[in-house]
Amino acid sequence: MFLTISTTGDEQNPATDLGFLLHKHPDNPFSTRLSHGTAHVVYPEADLRRCTAALLLEVDAVALVRKGKGKGRGGAPDAALAQYVNDRPYAASSLLAVALSGVFSTAMKGVCKARPERAGRRLPLRVEVPALPARGGPALVRRLFEPLGWAVTAEPVALDAEFPQWGDSRYVRLVLESDALTLAEALRHLYVLLPVLDDAKHYWVSSDEVDKLLRAGEGWLPEHPEQKLITSRYLSRRWSLTRQAMERLELVRLAEADDSEVEDIDNAVAAETETEEKPTPLAVQRRDAIIAALHASGAARVLDLGCGQGQLVQALLKDARFTEIVGVDVSMRALTIASRRLKLDRMGERQAARVRLVQGSLAYTDKRLKGYDAAVLSEVVEHLDPPRLPALEYAVFGSARPRTVLVTTPNVEYNVRWESLPAGHVRHGDHRFEWTRQEFRAWAATVAERHGYDVEFVPVGPDDPEVGPPTQMAVFRMMTQKEAKAA
């Protein structure tokens, strides 16, 4: 990874003052060991008229994997090669942002004892980043940097210069120029916006990241037109942290408008909002809707098909009305996690008799799944390639044939209400498709008619009058012979 910061000067204000501001002497190459590699600072040029500081980060791919412990970019446990072979050593990302913070920490605070008068003064600055991942393209780069006073040049990098028909990659060559910013402001912009454009971080984002964002965003983030996008991406789209940061940013904005201290406004608001309830997460609303539908069906023996890590199975075990619960998943790793979540090895004998976890594929018929009162496919169908849906349909409705089947799936029309979800993207990287309400109803009606069920549809989550609910649920009920003849 490589980044340069340049400035110009004259005899009264020599460009080499950049070395004082960065606390790195132009004549002495600097190197320091970081947790994921080694950072070097050198000066390719340094005289009265022009001075350039270059930050080079050599990423240690092995250290990145070991310290990541399977988390973050390229950390999937079943993608061992991708952990080592990726773009992290070459493209600006959160790794470079962390290096900026570590190497130029004093400069980011605007502190310079040797040249205090220069630290708070605006400089003619030029920043170059040869390879920057930009999820959103050059247009998003401009939307993020131009409101901060930068003149932006973001040139798309071709996938292959010899084959222009292949189009552009997601990388840009970035050049930023400004004479309206201090060096500290410029460094804070880069620290926040480099990982925002990459839309990924190499470490787990915890609550202390909110404080880091607010510190680095002081003076510019509260009024930035893309504040919501910046906050959401910087915090890895973690909803609870994003909401917390947005609330605190709004307090800062109100304090500045009222010429007050944040603490004064915060105290005034706290008394009114102290008793407000936090919104219920959609996953919880979905489980509640499923359990309510199971109660209405009178089911006692339930299949959770595609049980994943066992969240629904855990919720069903807490309800004594469900006498037998079977979780089925094709992934042994998911079943292992579910077993730990349920604490099966420490569960009492009577409770353990109510639950089983079995490995199985929903694309094949399975005699073990016959004879149950109800089956749940919660957020499962969208993970299958469409050509495999008929096999799942027959395995569940044609072979297993539970009296009640509940199917939940995302409503793609609602995606426009997710501010952090880029246009045209599905909610999860593994989703093969996401249905509109009409598409889901058409599929469900065809399945019901083919296998002797009737079906009704239940909204899950807030039912938006324009785009519907975030989750749609179909409740299939097997018809009696009399009902089937009448139909």
Side-chain angles (χ1 to χ4, degrees), residues 71-355:
K71 298 178 181 177
R73 189 72 176 269
D78 53 353
L81 183 61
Q83 293 179 316
Y84 295 93
V85 183
N86 53 53
D87 65 350
R88 298 301 85 184
Y90 315 105
S93 65
S94 60
L95 287 164
L96 187 59
V98 170
L100 271 174
S101 175
V103 174
F104 300 135
S105 58
T106 306
M108 284 182 64
K109 297 173 185 175
V111 176
C112 181
K113 293 181 180 179
R115 296 287 191 275
E117 75 286 352
R118 292 282 273 168
R121 189 183 303 172
R122 296 172 179 176
L123 300 175
L125 293 170
R126 178 183 173 93
V127 176
E128 296 187 51
V129 184
L132 172 66
R135 296 181 185 273
L140 180 59
V141 178
R142 288 189 287 270
R143 280 162 46 201
L144 294 184
F145 281 103
E146 286 180 348
L148 301 174
W150 292 101
V152 179
T153 301
E155 300 175 353
V157 177
L159 283 171
D160 192 315
E162 295 186 10
F163 299 94
Q165 66 271 25
W166 290 0
D168 295 327
S169 69
R170 66 183 183 91
Y171 302 91
V172 299
R173 175 183 175 270
L174 177 66
V175 179
L176 303 173
E177 294 179 293
S178 176
D179 57 6
L181 299 167
T182 66
L183 179 63
E185 290 171 334
L187 292 173
R188 289 199 293 267
H189 295 168
L190 294 168
Y191 174 75
V192 172
L193 297 181
L194 291 183
V196 165
L197 283 165
D198 187 27
D199 199 13
K201 285 202 169 183
H202 68 280
Y203 57 89
W204 173 251
V205 174
S206 57
S207 57
D208 63 341
E209 290 296 302
V210 175
D211 294 324
K212 293 180 186 178
L213 174 63
L214 296 181
R215 283 196 300 270
E218 183 178 357
W220 63 271
L221 185 55
E223 301 297 333
H224 198 291
E226 298 294 341
Q227 178 198 101
K228 291 183 179 178
L229 182 144
I230 293 169
T231 304
S232 174
R233 284 193 174 194
Y234 183 87
L235 297 171
S236 295
R237 303 179 190 271
R238 293 194 61 193
W239 180 87
S240 59
L241 297 183
T242 301
R243 180 170 176 266
Q244 178 186 340
M246 293 295 295
E247 289 174 349
R248 291 173 61 180
L249 285 168
E250 179 63 12
L251 284 174
V252 171
R253 190 189 66 80
L254 290 173
E256 290 177 349
D258 196 40
D259 196 22
S260 305
E261 295 294 328
V262 171
E263 291 76 10
D264 296 335
I265 294 181
D266 198 14
N267 288 338
V269 172
E272 299 175 10
T273 60
E274 199 171 54
T275 59
E276 290 183 4
E277 295 184 2
K278 294 181 179 180
T280 304
L282 181 58
V284 175
Q285 295 182 59
R286 189 161 50 236
R287 284 197 293 273
D288 290 345
I290 289 169
I291 292 173
L294 291 173
H295 287 169
S297 73
R301 303 174 66 239
V302 179
L303 297 168
D304 182 8
L305 303 178
C307 66
Q309 298 179 13
Q311 291 93 332
L312 178 60
V313 173
Q314 186 177 44
L316 295 175
L317 270 174
K318 295 176 182 178
D319 193 324
R321 279 177 279 196
F322 302 114
T323 59
E324 184 178 353
I325 304 147
V326 178
V328 182
D329 204 284
V330 71
S331 168
M332 278 304 301
R333 181 172 181 271
L335 293 174
T336 299
I337 295 173
S339 177
R340 287 201 296 263
R341 176 188 294 276
L342 299 171
K343 300 178 181 177
L344 290 182
D345 57 337
R346 289 178 281 169
M347 190 176 287
E349 187 175 342
R350 292 181 61 183
Q351 188 80 329
R354 294 174 57 210
V355 62

Side-chain angles (χ1 to χ4, degrees), residues 298-468:
R301 303 174 66 239
V302 179
L303 297 168
D304 182 8
L305 303 178
C307 66
Q309 298 179 13
Q311 291 93 332
L312 178 60
V313 173
Q314 186 177 44
L316 295 175
L317 270 174
K318 295 176 182 178
D319 193 324
R321 279 177 279 196
F322 302 114
T323 59
E324 184 178 353
I325 304 147
V326 178
V328 182
D329 204 284
V330 71
S331 168
M332 278 304 301
R333 181 172 181 271
L335 293 174
T336 299
I337 295 173
S339 177
R340 287 201 296 263
R341 176 188 294 276
L342 299 171
K343 300 178 181 177
L344 290 182
D345 57 337
R346 289 178 281 169
M347 190 176 287
E349 187 175 342
R350 292 181 61 183
Q351 188 80 329
R354 294 174 57 210
V355 62
R356 281 190 300 136
L357 299 177
V358 299
Q359 184 183 26
S361 170
L362 302 183
Y364 302 97
T365 58
D366 191 333
K367 294 180 180 179
R368 297 174 298 175
L369 307 184
K370 293 185 177 183
Y372 285 84
D373 300 329
V376 178
L377 293 112
S378 180
E379 310 299 286
V380 170
V381 293
E382 65 273 10
H383 290 273
L384 296 178
D385 292 315
R388 298 182 69 84
L389 284 176
L392 175 141
E393 172 194 333
Y394 180 75
V396 176
F397 295 91
S399 176
R401 294 191 64 76
R403 292 203 311 269
T404 300
V405 181
L406 308 180
V407 179
T408 74
T409 192
N411 167 23
V412 71
E413 297 168 80
Y414 192 88
N415 287 0
V416 297
R417 297 293 187 254
W418 300 113
E419 296 175 353
S420 60
L421 185 65
H425 285 235
V426 293
R427 297 185 199 175
H428 188 281
D430 190 51
H431 285 185
R432 303 304 198 264
F433 61 86
E434 287 178 356
W435 275 325
T436 64
R437 288 168 290 172
Q438 183 178 357
E439 289 169 334
F440 181 51
R441 287 169 181 258
W443 174 81
T446 301
V447 170
E449 182 180 3
R450 186 180 291 134
H451 297 285
Y453 287 77
D454 61 20
V455 61
E456 62 176 324
F457 300 91
V458 179
V460 180
D463 197 355
D464 189 287
E466 295 180 1
V467 297

